Amino acid sequence: VGFNFAQQDIYIKISGGLRINDPGADLGVAVALVSSLIEKPIPKKTLFLAEVGLFSDLRPVRDISLRLKEAEKKGFKQAFIPLTAELNLKNFNMEVIPCKKISEVFKKIF
């Protein structure tokens, strides 16, 4: 998607030493990497919930509706999710932003 990490050393630390096996964390990690590279912060109270495919497409994850409801309880104000996720977006008290590709997410937040 146009960001070059070839000359970068990348280290990812997950709080509490947890292991992440859920592909739903893909988008959050990708956004964090780009945020660091271009030195622009991620908007506060924003959730990124999608698996990222090899061609930068965003793929749905299991229990997305439940995850969004829990995020609301934790105070999140907006969420980026895959366009293919089948949800009634009016069921949420936060801004839910469906995107087809990771480049759409980058354009909207950076």
Side-chain angles (χ1 to χ4, degrees):
V1 292
F3 296 101
N4 186 350
F5 289 90
Q7 302 299 318
Q8 305 298 317
D9 292 327
I10 298 173
Y11 299 92
I12 298 173
K13 171 82 169 125
I14 305 298
S15 295
L18 299 173
R19 290 181 184 240
I20 304 295
N21 296 324
D22 184 352
D26 287 0
L27 183 57
V29 170
V31 170
L33 289 171
V34 170
S35 172
S36 178
L37 183 71
I38 66 174
E39 298 181 355
K40 288 194 177 182
I42 297 169
K44 292 182 180 185
K45 303 289 184 175
T46 301
L47 174 70
F48 302 93
L49 188 57
E51 180 178 358
V52 179
L54 290 176
F55 296 104
S56 77
D57 55 310
L58 300 183
R59 298 178 182 167
V61 295
R62 63 180 166 78
D63 300 325
I64 196 164
S65 183
L66 179 64
R67 294 178 191 208
L68 289 172
K69 283 293 184 189
E70 286 300 314
E72 277 182 341
K73 291 178 187 175
K74 299 290 184 191
F76 284 87
K77 301 297 181 196
Q78 67 179 359
F80 287 86
I81 65 166
L83 183 63
T84 56
E86 295 183 19
L87 294 173
N88 182 351
L89 300 180
K90 294 178 182 175
N91 289 340
F92 302 99
N93 293 321
M94 71 165 99
E95 181 183 16
V96 180
I97 306 162
C99 297
K100 186 174 182 176
K101 297 261 187 187
I102 196 169
S103 58
E104 291 176 51
V105 175
F106 294 154
K107 285 178 186 173
K108 290 181 182 185
I109 62 169
F110 297 123

